[in-house]
Short mmCIF file of all heavy atoms in Angstrom, two decimals:
data_model
loop_
_atom_site.label_atom_id
_atom_site.label_comp_id
_atom_site.label_asym_id
_atom_site.label_seq_id
_atom_site.Cartn_x
_atom_site.Cartn_y
_atom_site.Cartn_z
N THR C 174 0.85 -1.23 0.03
CA THR C 174 -0.04 0.02 0.05
C THR C 174 0.86 1.27 0.04
O THR C 174 0.92 1.96 1.00
CB THR C 174 -1.08 0.03 1.15
OG1 THR C 174 -1.42 -1.26 1.46
CG2 THR C 174 -2.14 0.89 0.87
N PRO C 175 1.53 1.52 -1.04
CA PRO C 175 2.40 2.76 -1.16
C PRO C 175 1.56 3.99 -0.98
O PRO C 175 0.53 4.12 -1.46
CB PRO C 175 3.08 2.65 -2.59
CG PRO C 175 2.23 1.76 -3.35
CD PRO C 175 1.54 0.80 -2.38
N THR C 176 2.05 4.95 -0.25
CA THR C 176 1.28 6.15 0.11
C THR C 176 1.81 7.35 -0.65
O THR C 176 1.01 8.33 -0.75
CB THR C 176 1.40 6.37 1.57
OG1 THR C 176 2.85 6.59 1.91
CG2 THR C 176 0.79 5.35 2.39
N SER C 177 3.00 7.25 -1.10
CA SER C 177 3.61 8.42 -1.90
C SER C 177 4.78 7.90 -2.71
O SER C 177 5.31 6.87 -2.51
CB SER C 177 3.83 9.56 -0.89
OG SER C 177 4.86 9.21 0.03
N VAL C 178 5.21 8.88 -3.46
CA VAL C 178 6.48 8.65 -4.27
C VAL C 178 7.14 10.04 -4.41
O VAL C 178 6.49 11.04 -4.60
CB VAL C 178 6.10 7.99 -5.62
CG1 VAL C 178 5.25 8.92 -6.47
CG2 VAL C 178 7.35 7.58 -6.40
N ALA C 179 8.56 9.91 -4.32
CA ALA C 179 9.37 11.12 -4.55
C ALA C 179 10.56 10.78 -5.29
O ALA C 179 11.08 9.65 -5.25
CB ALA C 179 9.82 11.78 -3.15
N VAL C 180 11.05 11.74 -6.07
CA VAL C 180 12.28 11.49 -6.92
C VAL C 180 13.34 12.54 -6.51
O VAL C 180 12.93 13.76 -6.41
CB VAL C 180 11.99 11.58 -8.34
CG1 VAL C 180 13.19 11.44 -9.21
CG2 VAL C 180 10.95 10.58 -8.82
N HIS C 181 14.50 12.12 -6.28
CA HIS C 181 15.62 13.03 -6.09
C HIS C 181 16.81 12.55 -6.81
O HIS C 181 17.31 11.35 -6.45
CB HIS C 181 15.98 13.13 -4.63
CG HIS C 181 17.05 13.97 -4.32
ND1 HIS C 181 17.11 15.45 -4.46
CD2 HIS C 181 18.34 13.75 -3.85
CE1 HIS C 181 18.21 15.96 -4.11
NE2 HIS C 181 19.02 15.03 -3.81
N ASP C 182 17.28 13.30 -7.79
CA ASP C 182 18.35 12.84 -8.72
C ASP C 182 17.92 11.52 -9.32
O ASP C 182 16.95 11.49 -9.96
CB ASP C 182 19.66 12.67 -8.01
CG ASP C 182 20.28 14.04 -7.44
OD1 ASP C 182 20.00 15.00 -8.22
OD2 ASP C 182 20.91 14.18 -6.51
N SER C 183 18.54 10.39 -9.11
CA SER C 183 18.36 9.17 -9.72
C SER C 183 17.81 8.16 -8.74
O SER C 183 17.58 7.00 -8.99
CB SER C 183 19.59 8.45 -10.31
OG SER C 183 20.05 9.27 -11.33
N THR C 184 17.30 8.64 -7.46
CA THR C 184 16.63 7.75 -6.54
C THR C 184 15.24 8.06 -6.39
O THR C 184 14.79 9.18 -6.35
CB THR C 184 17.30 7.99 -5.23
OG1 THR C 184 18.83 7.81 -5.29
CG2 THR C 184 16.81 7.03 -4.11
N VAL C 185 14.41 6.99 -6.38
CA VAL C 185 13.01 7.00 -6.16
C VAL C 185 12.70 6.47 -4.76
O VAL C 185 13.18 5.39 -4.33
CB VAL C 185 12.24 6.16 -7.16
CG1 VAL C 185 10.77 6.11 -6.94
CG2 VAL C 185 12.58 6.57 -8.57
N TYR C 186 11.98 7.29 -4.02
CA TYR C 186 11.55 6.90 -2.63
C TYR C 186 10.07 6.58 -2.60
O TYR C 186 9.26 7.36 -3.06
CB TYR C 186 11.79 8.16 -1.69
CG TYR C 186 13.28 8.46 -1.64
CD1 TYR C 186 13.78 9.36 -2.59
CD2 TYR C 186 14.19 7.99 -0.66
CE1 TYR C 186 15.13 9.78 -2.56
CE2 TYR C 186 15.51 8.33 -0.69
CZ TYR C 186 16.01 9.30 -1.64
OH TYR C 186 17.27 9.61 -1.59
N VAL C 187 9.68 5.39 -2.04
CA VAL C 187 8.32 4.97 -2.00
C VAL C 187 7.95 4.49 -0.66
O VAL C 187 8.31 3.36 -0.37
CB VAL C 187 7.95 3.94 -3.05
CG1 VAL C 187 6.49 3.65 -3.01
CG2 VAL C 187 8.46 4.31 -4.40
N PRO C 188 7.34 5.29 0.25
CA PRO C 188 7.01 4.74 1.57
C PRO C 188 5.76 3.83 1.42
O PRO C 188 4.79 4.11 0.68
CB PRO C 188 6.56 5.99 2.35
CG PRO C 188 7.05 7.11 1.53
CD PRO C 188 7.18 6.75 0.07
N SER C 189 5.79 2.60 2.04
CA SER C 189 4.54 1.82 2.10
C SER C 189 4.00 1.70 3.52
O SER C 189 4.75 1.48 4.49
CB SER C 189 5.07 0.33 1.75
OG SER C 189 5.41 0.30 0.34
N ALA C 190 2.70 1.98 3.60
CA ALA C 190 2.10 2.09 4.92
C ALA C 190 1.67 0.64 5.46
O ALA C 190 1.40 0.51 6.67
CB ALA C 190 0.85 2.96 4.85
N ALA C 191 1.56 -0.27 4.54
CA ALA C 191 1.05 -1.54 4.92
C ALA C 191 -0.31 -1.51 5.63
O ALA C 191 -0.64 -2.23 6.56
CB ALA C 191 2.07 -2.29 5.99
N TYR C 192 -1.22 -0.64 5.03
CA TYR C 192 -2.58 -0.59 5.60
C TYR C 192 -3.25 -1.91 5.80
O TYR C 192 -3.99 -2.13 6.65
CB TYR C 192 -3.42 0.42 4.82
CG TYR C 192 -2.96 1.91 4.98
CD1 TYR C 192 -2.85 2.61 3.84
CD2 TYR C 192 -2.76 2.45 6.21
CE1 TYR C 192 -2.50 3.95 3.93
CE2 TYR C 192 -2.47 3.75 6.34
CZ TYR C 192 -2.31 4.51 5.20
OH TYR C 192 -1.91 5.77 5.22
N LEU C 193 -3.20 -2.68 4.69
CA LEU C 193 -4.04 -3.91 4.61
C LEU C 193 -3.41 -5.04 5.38
O LEU C 193 -4.25 -5.87 5.88
CB LEU C 193 -4.28 -4.28 3.18
CG LEU C 193 -4.95 -3.21 2.29
CD1 LEU C 193 -5.01 -3.77 0.85
CD2 LEU C 193 -6.24 -2.81 2.85
N THR C 194 -2.07 -5.15 5.54
CA THR C 194 -1.52 -6.22 6.28
C THR C 194 -1.08 -5.90 7.71
O THR C 194 -0.92 -6.80 8.58
CB THR C 194 -0.22 -6.69 5.54
OG1 THR C 194 0.76 -5.58 5.50
CG2 THR C 194 -0.63 -7.10 4.04
N ASN C 195 -0.93 -4.61 8.04
CA ASN C 195 -0.46 -4.13 9.29
C ASN C 195 0.86 -4.77 9.66
O ASN C 195 1.17 -4.94 10.86
CB ASN C 195 -1.56 -4.34 10.39
CG ASN C 195 -2.76 -3.45 10.20
OD1 ASN C 195 -2.56 -2.36 9.82
ND2 ASN C 195 -3.86 -4.01 10.44
N ALA C 196 1.68 -5.10 8.62
CA ALA C 196 2.99 -5.74 8.94
C ALA C 196 3.92 -5.15 8.03
O ALA C 196 3.64 -4.97 6.85
CB ALA C 196 2.78 -7.27 8.65
N ASP C 197 5.14 -4.80 8.50
CA ASP C 197 6.31 -4.27 7.74
C ASP C 197 5.97 -3.17 6.90
O ASP C 197 6.30 -3.06 5.58
CB ASP C 197 6.78 -5.47 6.80
CG ASP C 197 8.12 -5.18 6.11
OD1 ASP C 197 8.95 -4.41 6.77
OD2 ASP C 197 8.43 -5.60 5.05
N PRO C 198 5.58 -2.03 7.50
CA PRO C 198 5.60 -0.73 6.70
C PRO C 198 7.06 -0.46 6.40
O PRO C 198 7.92 -0.79 7.20
CB PRO C 198 5.02 0.29 7.68
CG PRO C 198 4.97 -0.36 9.00
CD PRO C 198 5.08 -1.83 8.87
N ASN C 199 7.30 0.14 5.27
CA ASN C 199 8.75 0.33 4.89
C ASN C 199 8.94 1.49 3.95
O ASN C 199 7.96 2.14 3.51
CB ASN C 199 9.29 -1.03 4.30
CG ASN C 199 8.45 -1.40 2.95
OD1 ASN C 199 8.53 -0.69 2.07
ND2 ASN C 199 7.80 -2.47 3.02
N LEU C 200 10.19 1.80 3.65
CA LEU C 200 10.57 2.83 2.66
C LEU C 200 11.43 2.06 1.61
O LEU C 200 12.53 1.62 1.90
CB LEU C 200 11.27 3.87 3.29
CG LEU C 200 11.96 4.94 2.33
CD1 LEU C 200 10.80 5.73 1.73
CD2 LEU C 200 12.87 6.01 3.12
N LEU C 201 10.86 2.07 0.40
CA LEU C 201 11.48 1.38 -0.65
C LEU C 201 12.33 2.45 -1.46
O LEU C 201 11.78 3.47 -1.80
CB LEU C 201 10.48 0.78 -1.62
CG LEU C 201 11.13 -0.03 -2.83
CD1 LEU C 201 11.24 -1.45 -2.39
CD2 LEU C 201 10.22 0.06 -4.00
N LEU C 202 13.64 2.16 -1.73
CA LEU C 202 14.44 2.94 -2.63
C LEU C 202 14.72 2.32 -3.86
O LEU C 202 15.12 0.99 -3.84
CB LEU C 202 15.81 3.31 -1.85
CG LEU C 202 15.75 4.47 -0.92
CD1 LEU C 202 14.82 4.23 0.29
CD2 LEU C 202 17.16 4.87 -0.55
N ALA C 203 14.60 2.91 -4.99
CA ALA C 203 14.86 2.28 -6.27
C ALA C 203 15.63 3.30 -7.09
O ALA C 203 15.64 4.55 -6.87
CB ALA C 203 13.61 2.01 -7.00
N ARG C 204 16.31 2.81 -8.06
CA ARG C 204 17.14 3.62 -9.01
C ARG C 204 16.41 3.99 -10.20
O ARG C 204 15.83 3.11 -10.80
CB ARG C 204 18.47 2.98 -9.30
CG ARG C 204 19.41 3.83 -10.17
CD ARG C 204 20.82 3.12 -10.32
NE ARG C 204 21.77 3.98 -10.94
CZ ARG C 204 21.82 4.26 -12.20
NH1 ARG C 204 20.98 3.81 -13.05
NH2 ARG C 204 22.74 5.11 -12.62
N LEU C 205 16.41 5.20 -10.59
CA LEU C 205 15.72 5.71 -11.79
C LEU C 205 16.71 5.76 -12.94
O LEU C 205 17.80 6.44 -12.86
CB LEU C 205 15.09 7.08 -11.56
CG LEU C 205 14.37 7.78 -12.83
CD1 LEU C 205 13.07 6.89 -13.05
CD2 LEU C 205 13.97 9.14 -12.40
#
């Protein structure tokens, strides 16, 4: 359940709230 997305230089930041599972909310980083 990602809640937002942000881009800085070549990095993408995607916070996940885990609304449906209530387990392991996280911040995913990916390369653009």
Side-chain angles (χ1 to χ4, degrees):
T174 323
T176 58
S177 59
V178 61
V180 177
H181 179 70
D182 293 329
S183 294
T184 304
V185 178
Y186 301 86
V187 186
S189 289
Y192 287 132
L193 302 177
T194 62
N195 291 321
D197 191 30
N199 60 63
L200 174 63
L201 181 95
L202 275 64
R204 185 173 190 281
L205 180 65

